[in-house]
Amino acid sequence: MYFEDLLPLLMFGALVALLFSGLPVAAVIGGVGLAFGFIGHLFGLFAPIEFFNIPVRIWGTAAENPVLVAVPMFIFMGTMLEQSGVAEDLLRTLGIVLRRVRGGLAMAVTLMGTILAAATGIIGASVVMMTLLALPTMQAAGYSNRLATGTIAAAGTLGILIPPSIMLVIMADLLSISVGNLFLGALFPGLLLSGLYLLYITAFATLRPTSAPPLATAEGPATGGELALLLLKSFLPPAFLILLVLGSIFAGWATPTEAAGVGAAGTILLAALKRRLSFAALVEVCERTGLTCAMIFFIFIGATAFSYVFRSLGGDYVIEDLIAASGLQDWGILFLLMVVVFLLGFFFDWVEITLIVLPIIAPLIKTLDFGDHVAKPEIVYWFAILLAVNLQTSFLTPPFGFALFYMKGICPPQVKLGEIYRGIVPFVILQLSGLAACIAFPDIVLWLPRTMLD
C-alpha cells in the first residue's frame, strides 16, 4: 500500500485519537481536516487552491441551506415545551391515567418520551427534564432504581428517531434525499421501540411486582368528569400541536421547515395560555436554543472541512478498496457498517458519527443491491433509518453513553452509576431487536412512505 493510500487512514486514526483529548469536538474535526490538507500539500496530494473550496462548501451546505433552518426551530419547540411546564403537566396526567396499573408510572414516562420525541430531538434536555420530573416520583412509589433509570434514559432518547428529528433533517441533507419521506420512514420504527419498552415494563412489573407497584388510587381526580377536564387541559394541547406539525408534513401541506415554524409558534401560544410565558423565560429559551444550535453547526463546519479533505485525498477509494479486498457481499457490507456504527456509539455522539461517517459511506450505500428484499431506489431511505435506530443506542452504551451521564449528574447520591448501567442493558437489547426487525422486515420502514406517495 502506497503512502497516498495510507494518508486517509492516518487522517481518520488521528481524528479518533484526538477526540479523546478533551479538546472541543468541532475544533478537533476541523483542525484535523486542515492539518492533513497541509500534509497532503507537502506530498503533492492536495492543491493549495482547494483550501478555498472549504469555505464555499461550508456556506453551501450549512449557512445557506434552507433545509437546516428547521433545526433551530425544532430545538426551540422542545425547549419551550420544557420551560413552560407543559411536559410536567403531561407526565402528571399520564401517571394519573395509568395509576392503577402495575408499572403504570414507568409506562407514563415511556409514553411521555414518545409524545415529546415528536417535539424535540435534544436528548440531553429530555433526559434531564424527565429525570427531574419522574425519578423522585418513581422512587417514592417504590420503583427499583434499575427500572426507573433505564426507562427514563431509553424514553428520553426516542427524540433522536421519532420525527420531527433534527438528526433526520441532517441525514436527509447529507444524503440529498427528502426530509418528509425520511420522517415517514422513521415513524413506525420509533413507535416499535416505544412498544417494545412498554412490553418490557409490563413483563418486569408482572414478574417483580414489588419493584414496579401501582400508584395509590387516591392520586388524581376522583370523578370521570374531572379526569376528562385534566386530559383536556394537559394532554390534548401538546398532542394537537404535535399532530398538527407532523400531519402537515406527512400530508404535504407544509415543508419540514414551515412545520417547524408552526411548532415553534405553537409552543409560545401554549406557554401563554398556561400563563407561563414571560420575557425572562423567552430569553432563556432563545439562549439555550442558540447554544445548542451553535454546537451543532460548529461541528457541521468542522465535519465539512474534514470530509472535503478526506475525500480529496482519496479516502472514498481507499474504503471501497478495503471492503472489496475483504470479499464481503452486499449483506456482509451492511452488517459490517451496522457493527462499526454500533461500536463507534460507545465512544462518540450521534453528531460526530453522522457528520463524519455518513458522507464517507454514502457513495458505497448507493451501490448496494439487496434484490427483492429492498428495491434499489429505496435502499438509501432504508439504510438511513437503520443508521438512526443504531445511533439511538449510542446514548445508552457505556463508557460514554451521554444520556447516562446527563442522568447521573442530577440523580441523588444513592443512585449508583452501576445501577444505571444495569438498568439500560435491557433497553439496549430492545433497541438492537428493533434494528433487527427493521432489517428483516423493511416494510416497517418503507410501507408508510410508499402508501403516502401512492
Side-chain angles (χ1 to χ4, degrees):
M1 183 176 286
Y2 297 104
F3 178 75
E4 54 265 30
D5 297 325
L6 286 174
L7 195 58
L9 299 179
L10 293 173
M11 182 179 180
F12 196 81
L15 173 66
V16 172
L18 288 173
L19 283 174
F20 290 101
S21 66
L23 296 170
V25 171
V28 168
I29 298 173
V32 169
L34 295 177
F36 272 82
F38 283 108
I39 294 173
H41 169 60
L42 293 177
F43 290 92
L45 302 174
F46 192 85
I49 192 66
E50 291 187 83
F51 284 110
F52 292 95
N53 291 336
I54 295 176
V56 175
R57 288 176 65 88
I58 290 172
W59 178 261
T61 58
E64 70 168 3
N65 191 331
V67 175
L68 297 182
V69 176
V71 172
M73 288 189 287
F74 281 135
I75 294 174
F76 180 95
M77 181 179 171
T79 307
M80 180 58 80
L81 281 178
E82 174 200 350
Q83 180 69 26
S84 63
V86 171
E88 182 178 359
D89 294 342
L90 180 61
L91 176 62
R92 177 175 175 270
T93 301
L94 291 172
I96 289 171
V97 170
L98 297 169
R99 64 187 182 274
R100 293 183 175 85
V101 180
R102 290 195 181 276
L105 194 52
M107 294 180 184
V109 170
T110 302
L111 291 173
M112 186 182 79
T114 305
I115 294 170
L116 292 184
T120 177
I122 318 166
I123 301 305
S126 297
V127 172
V128 168
M129 173 186 60
M130 290 203 290
T131 302
L132 289 171
L133 296 179
L135 185 58
T137 305
M138 297 176 82
Q139 288 180 317
Y143 276 69
S144 70
N145 287 337
R146 289 173 57 180
L147 178 62
T149 56
T151 301
I152 292 169
T157 62
L158 286 171
I160 208 64
L161 177 61
I162 294 179
S165 159
I166 57 175
M167 182 174 73
L168 297 180
V169 173
I170 293 175
M171 277 187 174
D173 180 66
L174 293 174
L175 293 171
S176 300
I177 57 179
S178 166
V179 180
N181 289 348
L182 203 56
F183 281 0
L184 287 168
L187 185 59
F188 283 169
L191 296 177
L192 171 65
L193 291 184
S194 179
L196 290 175
Y197 298 165
L198 292 173
L199 288 175
Y200 167 72
I201 293 168
T202 302
F204 186 97
T206 302
L207 296 174
R208 300 181 60 181
T210 57
S211 297
L215 292 175
T217 54
E219 293 272 346
T223 66
E226 291 176 347
L227 180 60
L229 181 61
L230 182 63
L231 287 171
L232 183 64
K233 292 172 58 178
S234 301
F235 179 79
L236 288 184
F240 176 75
L241 176 64
I242 292 167
L243 181 63
L244 181 64
V245 172
L246 289 180
S248 62
I249 296 173
F250 294 164
W253 299 337
T255 66
T257 303
E258 293 166 343
V262 172
T267 54
I268 295 175
L269 179 60
L270 284 182
L273 291 175
K274 287 183 171 289
R275 299 182 180 180
R276 293 173 179 172
L277 181 65
S278 64
F279 182 74
L282 188 59
V283 168
E284 183 177 351
V285 170
C286 289
E287 287 181 352
R288 289 170 57 186
T289 301
L291 289 172
T292 304
C293 291
M295 180 271 293
I296 292 174
F297 279 87
F298 191 16
I299 295 176
F300 212 113
I301 289 170
T304 301
F306 178 90
S307 61
Y308 178 82
V309 175
F310 184 84
R311 300 181 73 171
S312 182
L313 294 177
D316 291 357
Y317 300 111
V318 172
I319 291 175
E320 290 176 7
D321 292 342
L322 288 174
I323 292 178
S326 69
L328 293 173
Q329 301 301 315
D330 298 304
W331 280 106
I333 293 171
L334 175 66
F335 286 117
L336 174 64
L337 293 176
M338 289 294 107
V339 170
V340 168
V341 169
F342 178 72
L343 294 177
L344 287 174
F346 280 72
F347 306 102
F348 306 121
D349 197 357
W350 71 266
V351 182
E352 295 99 56
I353 298 174
T354 301
L355 294 178
I356 296 171
V357 175
L358 195 55
I360 295 174
I361 64 176
L364 177 65
I365 295 305
K366 295 174 182 178
T367 66
L368 299 181
D369 190 348
F370 298 97
D372 295 334
H373 192 71
V374 181
K376 186 76 172 177
E378 297 175 331
I379 288 176
V380 65
Y381 288 97
W382 180 55
F383 177 81
I385 300 304
L386 297 183
L387 187 64
V389 176
N390 199 339
L391 284 174
Q392 192 185 351
T393 64
S394 68
F395 288 94
L396 301 181
T397 47
F400 299 117
F402 291 92
L404 310 183
F405 286 108
Y406 293 140
M407 176 177 290
K408 180 55 182 172
I410 57 175
C411 276
Q414 62 266 30
V415 179
K416 305 300 181 185
L417 188 59
E419 288 183 302
I420 298 176
Y421 281 155
R422 289 191 294 273
I424 58 92
V425 169
F427 291 95
V428 172
I429 294 173
L430 291 173
Q431 289 175 341
L432 294 177
S433 301
L435 175 62
C438 292
I439 293 175
F441 305 102
D443 279 353
I444 296 174
V445 175
L446 300 173
W447 180 84
L448 189 58
R450 290 176 189 150
T451 304
M452 296 298 291
L453 293 175
D454 287 344

